[in-house]
Amino acid sequence: MARMTVSDLLHLSVAERIQLVEDLWDSVAAHPEQVEASEEQLAELERRLAELDENPEAGESWDVVKARILDSL
C-alpha cells in the first residue's frame, strides 16, 4: 500500500474522506481493549457512576434522548 500524505488526503472528495474516517473509526472500535483512558477520563467516569448510584432516576434513557434529538432536527 502506498503511503499517503495529509495533502494527498485533502485532495480526496468529501465522500471519500468521510468513508476513510468511518473505516479508521471501525478499525479502532474493533479493538476497544487497546484504547487507553486517561486518568482524567477515568476520574470522570467514576464521578458519573457515583452520581448515578446516588440518584438513579435523575437521567433519561437513550430512547428518550434520541427521540428528543431527532424531533429537534
Side-chain angles (χ1 to χ4, degrees), residues 11 14 16 32-33 45 47 52-53 60 64 70:
H11 284 93
V14 171
E16 290 171 320
E33 71 282 355
L45 289 172
R47 184 193 68 75
L52 177 63
D53 287 342
E60 294 179 313
V64 170
L70 292 175

Side-chain angles (χ1 to χ4, degrees), residues 34-58:
Q34 295 178 5
V35 179
E36 295 183 24
S38 69
E39 291 297 321
E40 293 82 10
Q41 291 167 324
L42 293 173
E44 179 63 15
L45 289 172
E46 289 296 328
R47 184 193 68 75
R48 290 181 186 194
L49 283 172
E51 188 176 314
L52 177 63
D53 287 342
E54 290 174 16
N55 192 359
E57 302 299 321

Side-chain angles (χ1 to χ4, degrees), residues 64-73:
V64 170
V65 173
K66 183 179 175 183
R68 186 173 62 239
I69 293 169
L70 292 175
D71 288 344
S72 71
L73 299 178

